[in-house]
C-alpha cells in the first residue's frame, strides 16, 4: 500500500546484517559494484518492512552516488524506488539533501533543478510526502528567483502549494511558507493574489511559538503594503497600531518612523471623504 506511511512491524531485523555488510561493501573500489550490493540490501530491508535498516541503506546509496557525482543515476533511482517503495517517505527524505550541488556551476544547477523536478513528480498528490514536496518546491522557487531572475516562475511554483491544508507540516512552518508566498506576490506587484493569500493567516493565531512575534511583524508589514495599495487609510492605521505594540518593533530603530506614520495616516484618513463619517459625530 503506497499510501501507508509507517509500515507494519518489521518481519526481520537487518541491523546486524548491515553492521556486518557495510564495512565489506565500503572496501569495494568500484562504486557501481558496491551499489549493486547496496541495492540487494535495499530490496531485502524493504520487503521485510525493516524501516530503520532501509533508511540506513538508502543513505549509503545516496552518499555513494553523490560522492561519485553520478547524478544521472541518482535521478533515475528516485523514480525507480518511488514506484516500488513501500516507504516512499524515507526514500524521498534520503534524496532531499541536494546541498552538495553548487548552484553557481551552470551544469550542477541544471542537475539540481532536474532532481528537484523528479522529486516533485514522484511526490505529487501523495499526502504523506507533501511536506517533503513543499521543501523542494521552495528550493526550486529560490533558484528561479535568485539564479534565473524569473520572478513569475518562482511565484507560480511557490503559490501552487496550499500548505495550510497540510496536516503533517508544523504550524510555524506553514506560516513561514505563506508569508514567503505573500512576499513574492507583493514583489511581483500582484496585490489581488497577495490579499487572497493574506487571508490564510489569522492574526490571533500568531502567538505562543518561537518566531510568533517576528512572523506577526512581517505579516502586519505585508498587510500595510496591501492597505497602502488600496488607499485603505483606516486599515493602515489599525495595522500600524498593532505593529508598534510588538516588543520586537518597540525596541527597533524604525519605531519612531512608525509613530510618525501613524499620525500621518490618521490625518490622511480624516481627510478622505469616504472615511470621513468614521471620525465625525454620527448624524441620526
Amino acid at each position: 500500500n503506497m499510501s501507508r506511511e509507517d509500515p507494519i512491524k518489521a518481519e526481520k531485523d537487518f541491523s546486524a546484517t548491515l553492521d556486518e555488510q557495510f564495512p565489506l561493501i565500503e572496501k569495494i573500489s568500484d562504486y557501481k559494484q558496491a551499489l549493486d550490493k547496496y541495492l540487494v540490501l535495499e530490496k531485502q530491508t524493504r520487503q521485510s518492512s525493516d524501516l530503520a535498516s532501509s533508511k540506513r541503506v538508502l543513505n549509503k546509496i545516496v552518499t555513494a552516488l553523490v560522492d561519485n557525482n553520478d547524478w544521472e543515476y541518482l535521478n533515475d533511482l528516485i523514480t525507480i524506488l518511488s514506484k516500488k517503495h513501500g516507504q516512499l517517505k524515507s526514500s524521498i527524505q534520503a534524496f532531499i539533501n541536494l546541498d552538495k550541488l553548487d548552484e553557481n556551476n551552470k551544469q550542477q544547477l541544471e542537475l539540481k533543478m532536474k532532481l528537484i523536478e523528479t522529486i516533485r513528480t514522484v511526490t505529487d498528490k501523495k499526502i504523506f510526502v507533501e511536506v517533503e514536496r513543499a521543501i523542494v518546491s521552495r528550493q526550486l522557487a529560490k533558484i528561479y528567483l535568485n539564479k534565473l531572475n524569473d520572478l513569475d516562475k518562482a511565484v507560480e511554483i511557490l503559490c501552487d502549494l496550499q500548505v495550510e491544508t497540510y496536516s503533517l507540516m508544523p504550524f510555524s512552518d506553514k506560516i513561514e511558507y505563506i508569508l514567503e508566498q505573500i512576499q513574492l506576490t507583493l514583489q511581483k506587484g500582484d496585490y489581488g493574489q497577495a490579499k487572497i493569500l493574506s487571508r490564510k493567516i489569522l492574526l490571533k493565531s500568531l502567538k505562543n511559538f518561537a518566531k510568533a512575534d517576528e512572523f506577526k511583524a512581517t505579516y502586519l508589514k505585508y498587510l500595510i503594503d496591501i492597505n497602502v495599495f488600496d488607499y485603505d487609510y483606516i486599515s493602515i492605521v489599525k495595522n500600524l497600531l498593532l505593529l508598534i505594540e510588538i516588543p520586537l518593533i518597540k525596541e527597533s530603530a524604525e519605531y519612531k518612523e512608525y509613530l510618525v506614520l501613524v499620525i500621518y495616516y490618521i490625518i490622511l484618513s480624516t481627510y478622505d471623504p469616504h472615511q470621513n463619517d468614521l471620525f465625525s459625530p454620527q448624524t441620526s
Side-chain angles (χ1 to χ4, degrees), residues 23-207:
L24 299 172
I25 299 174
E26 276 159 20
K27 287 198 178 81
I28 301 171
S29 56
D30 178 2
Y31 86 97
K32 288 261 170 83
Q33 279 183 342
L35 266 181
D36 288 340
K37 294 207 182 298
Y38 285 136
L39 285 166
V40 170
L41 290 172
E42 189 281 326
K43 186 175 182 182
Q44 290 173 330
T45 55
R46 171 163 43 88
Q47 290 179 339
S48 306
S49 300
D50 182 353
L51 183 62
S53 295
S54 176
K55 265 189 174 162
R56 283 178 66 192
V57 179
L58 280 165
N59 281 322
K60 286 282 181 197
I61 291 172
V62 172
T63 305
L65 289 167
V66 170
D67 288 349
N68 290 281
N69 286 318
D70 195 343
W71 300 99
E72 290 299 322
Y73 189 47
L74 182 65
N75 195 45
D76 296 341
L77 205 61
I78 295 171
T79 310
I80 294 164
L81 290 176
S82 73
K83 284 194 170 66
K84 61 181 175 186
H85 222 273
Q87 301 131 345
L88 176 66
K89 194 182 184 80
S90 53
S91 97
I92 291 301
Q93 283 168 338
F95 290 127
I96 238 170
N97 191 356
L98 303 168
D99 295 343
K100 286 226 172 76
L101 282 164
D102 178 11
E103 289 186 6
N104 295 316
N105 172 318
K106 188 172 179 289
Q107 201 181 356
Q108 292 194 21
L109 179 67
E110 282 169 8
L111 271 168
K112 187 171 188 172
M113 291 173 75
K114 186 176 167 183
L115 285 161
I116 291 175
E117 283 296 4
T118 304
I119 293 171
R120 273 165 48 87
T121 303
V122 300
T123 53
D124 193 20
K125 307 207 174 30
K126 295 189 173 71
I127 289 170
F128 61 106
V129 281
E130 60 194 4
V131 175
E132 286 74 15
R133 189 166 197 270
I135 290 168
V136 292
S137 298
R138 191 176 177 182
Q139 289 177 345
L140 190 60
K142 283 202 163 87
I143 289 172
Y144 273 106
L145 186 67
N146 302 325
K147 296 288 168 201
L148 306 171
N149 298 318
D150 190 340
L151 176 60
D152 290 353
K153 187 75 176 158
V155 170
E156 184 192 316
I157 292 165
L158 201 69
C159 295
D160 184 43
L161 302 177
Q162 318 287 321
V163 291
E164 65 280 4
T165 65
Y166 293 4
S167 52
L168 297 167
M169 189 181 254
F171 179 72
S172 78
D173 290 1
K174 288 184 188 183
I175 297 295
E176 188 168 16
Y177 214 99
I178 296 167
L179 285 174
E180 220 164 278
Q181 291 177 327
I182 298 170
Q183 182 197 342
L184 283 189
T185 46
L186 285 173
Q187 211 172 317
K188 187 180 167 179
D190 188 344
Y191 289 88
Q193 169 91 326
K195 198 184 287 188
I196 291 166
L197 289 166
S198 74
R199 295 190 191 118
K200 294 181 177 188
I201 296 176
L202 294 174
L203 207 49
K204 60 173 183 276
S205 69
L206 300 182
K207 55 173 189 279

